[in-house]
Amino acid sequence: MAQYAHPEVLVETEWLASHLHDGGIRIVEVDVDTGAYDLGHIPGALAWAWTTQLCDTVKRDILPKEQLEALLSKSGIAPDTTIILYGDSNNWFAAWALWQLKIYGHKDVRLLNGGRKKWLAEGRELTEEVPSYPATNYKAQEPDLSLRAFLPEVLEAVKKGGVSMIDVRSPQEFTGEILAPPGLPETCQRGGHIPGARNVPWGKACNDDGTFKSLEELKALYGAEGVDEKNPVISYCRIGERSSHTWFVLKYLLGLQNVTNYDGSWTEWGNLVGVPVERGAARAVSA
Amino acid sequence: MGQPGRRAGGTGRGSGGVGVTNETEQSTAGSSGGFSERQVELNGWPVRLTSYRVGNKFVCQADNVSPGACLARFSASTAEEAEAQAISKARHLLGKTKRRDV
């Protein structure tokens, strides 16, 4: 872990198990399956539901600043609190929460390496008890939009090139064989990918136990698809959460400076009128 | 205060929008145990079945491997029952996925 560019953004299960009751930290579970928390969770952990608490529920957007402040205040979190996020599916939606917390300038937010899966696999303590913490009056910073890519930037990148576009969906979504992950509702009119994008499914960054692969493995994985320090990187998926996981890997584990998450992702691009779409396998990596 | 907003407004269990269905029996959580994973194929798609025990509950979750979205999760008094329910629900959802010629 120490080899990563920013090893401080991860904590290990063993460390967390011995620091559950430390002051100054708040553990939060964010799952794909928002009911998993109720089955049993890490003692002291709260839960945030991505479907209702980590997005604007009226317009399509990330959590508005005022709502983020309310959520953190209700969670007893202050600007100097160390937030430790974990979740199912290799921290998929925990990374989504982390990305938003970084946009709003929370200084110390970390992922539990291996997430809920590793905690369960190790037979560690679980509880059904929902904790209560004194509310705070959290004030977030103005959003740092340098972490986020919007449609005009993506259109410009496609037009001018010079940007590594990483599509982190499954190969079948990338080629256009399917319009949504198997078993989930279709949310786009067209299948395929943004022209020039490379396909690196998000889960390839993880080991079987849910932990992140080593620095060298990650360098090889993304380097083979043309990702390096020379060009800006934009990651995208279907609705922007899988790509927030890849954004985390590229920014904090590999240490890339210019990497953004296009959370509009394929549900935006694949529904637009007139934008170019590629189908089938990716083009060869240019030298 | 507790868990912010989770139980207010219907945002609790099973509301993940990914076809999760759950049956929960009363139990006392302690340590988890019996964690295992295996892959099966349902309707032509790979599915990962993750099983574990929490207290006296046996839990089985089915996900679609890539990307790993939860399709179904059940808890029951036996591991077999939880798995059978999860497989049934996952098979139903996967049957709706259309493949297109590329």
Side-chain angles (χ1 to χ4, degrees):
Chain A
M1 194 164 85
Q3 292 181 329
Y4 296 133
H6 298 282
E8 71 279 5
V9 296
L10 292 176
V11 299
E12 299 296 330
T13 51
E14 186 175 357
W15 181 90
L16 185 58
S18 60
H19 291 81
L20 290 175
H21 307 293
D22 284 8
I25 73 168
R26 183 72 70 245
I27 309 166
V28 183
E29 179 165 337
V30 186
D31 295 313
V32 181
D33 168 12
T34 56
Y37 173 91
D38 297 335
L39 287 169
H41 50 265
I42 296 176
L46 298 169
W48 293 340
W50 67 271
T51 50
T52 55
Q53 293 178 288
L54 293 173
C55 61
D56 187 318
T57 55
V58 178
K59 64 178 180 180
R60 187 179 173 205
D61 210 338
I62 62 172
L63 196 60
K65 180 170 178 270
E66 299 73 23
Q67 290 179 32
L68 177 107
E69 289 174 339
L71 177 66
L72 296 188
S73 295
K74 285 196 296 183
S75 302
I77 291 171
D80 62 351
T81 301
T82 297
I83 302 175
I84 298 173
L85 299 165
Y86 76 100
D88 60 1
S89 292
N90 299 348
N91 286 321
W92 174 349
F93 273 92
W96 169 250
L98 185 144
W99 176 66
Q100 293 195 47
L101 287 166
K102 284 299 183 186
I103 284 177
Y104 286 112
H106 193 83
K107 189 176 177 184
D108 191 357
V109 52
R110 312 177 189 193
L111 289 181
L112 175 64
N113 200 14
R116 180 179 170 93
K117 175 180 179 174
K118 189 162 189 277
W119 190 271
L120 288 171
E122 292 173 345
R124 295 190 183 275
E125 184 182 2
L126 295 174
T127 184
E128 292 177 344
E129 185 179 333
V130 177
S132 178
Y133 299 104
T136 61
N137 185 24
Y138 192 96
K139 295 298 176 193
Q141 296 178 24
E142 290 304 312
D144 177 4
L145 298 180
S146 71
L147 308 182
R148 191 180 187 192
F150 291 92
L151 179 61
E153 299 159 55
V154 181
L155 285 165
E156 187 76 359
V158 170
K159 185 177 175 184
K160 291 188 173 176
V163 175
S164 294
M165 195 80 68
I166 301 297
D167 184 321
V168 310
R169 297 175 300 160
S170 66
Q172 292 96 338
E173 293 171 273
F174 181 84
T175 60
E177 181 185 349
I178 56 177
L179 299 188
L184 301 192
E186 295 179 347
T187 51
C188 58
Q189 292 294 313
R190 292 290 182 271
H193 54 269
I194 297 174
R198 310 296 306 173
N199 185 212
V200 186
W202 74 285
K204 286 194 171 185
C206 295
N207 296 306
D208 287 344
D209 68 355
T211 58
F212 288 101
K213 287 183 176 172
S214 70
L215 179 65
E216 290 309 313
E217 289 171 313
L218 294 173
K219 278 183 178 176
L221 174 65
Y222 294 101
E225 300 299 336
V227 174
D228 57 30
E229 273 289 357
K230 296 175 190 168
N231 293 313
V233 182
I234 297 175
S235 62
Y236 76 93
C237 57
R238 184 175 69 126
I239 57 174
E241 17 60 49
R242 278 178 275 176
S243 48
S244 64
H245 188 277
T246 298
W247 171 86
F248 173 84
V249 171
L250 296 175
K251 186 165 186 70
Y252 290 105
L253 303 188
L254 290 184
L256 299 186
Q257 295 295 314
N258 192 349
V259 52
T260 52
N261 179 23
Y262 170 40
D263 59 304
S265 280
W266 195 254
T267 43
E268 180 168 73
W269 193 275
N271 284 312
L272 288 172
V273 175
V275 296
V277 169
E278 280 185 355
R279 284 190 180 160
R283 302 173 195 166
V285 178
S286 55
Chain B
M1 187 283 300
Q3 188 183 3
R6 282 295 299 274
R7 288 178 175 77
T11 59
R13 66 167 58 97
S15 60
V18 288
V20 175
T21 309
N22 183 48
E23 290 179 352
T24 302
E25 300 184 349
Q26 292 298 314
S27 75
T28 303
S31 60
S32 58
F35 184 92
S36 68
E37 289 183 333
R38 68 185 179 98
Q39 277 200 26
V40 297
E41 188 175 298
L42 301 177
N43 287 338
W45 294 103
V47 171
R48 177 170 38 225
L49 299 173
T50 303
S51 301
Y52 56 93
R53 178 180 47 74
V54 183
N56 59 5
K57 292 179 297 193
F58 290 87
V59 182
C60 182
Q61 174 178 303
D63 74 63
N64 58 12
V65 182
S66 181
C70 179
L71 298 172
R73 173 181 42 75
F74 279 84
S75 62
S77 56
T78 68
E80 292 76 16
E81 183 185 355
E83 181 176 298
Q85 301 251 35
I87 287 175
S88 176
K89 180 72 176 180
R91 180 180 282 124
H92 171 72
L93 291 170
L94 290 166
K96 297 179 178 178
T97 298
K98 297 176 184 173
R99 293 181 190 266
R100 291 164 171 79
D101 293 330
V102 178

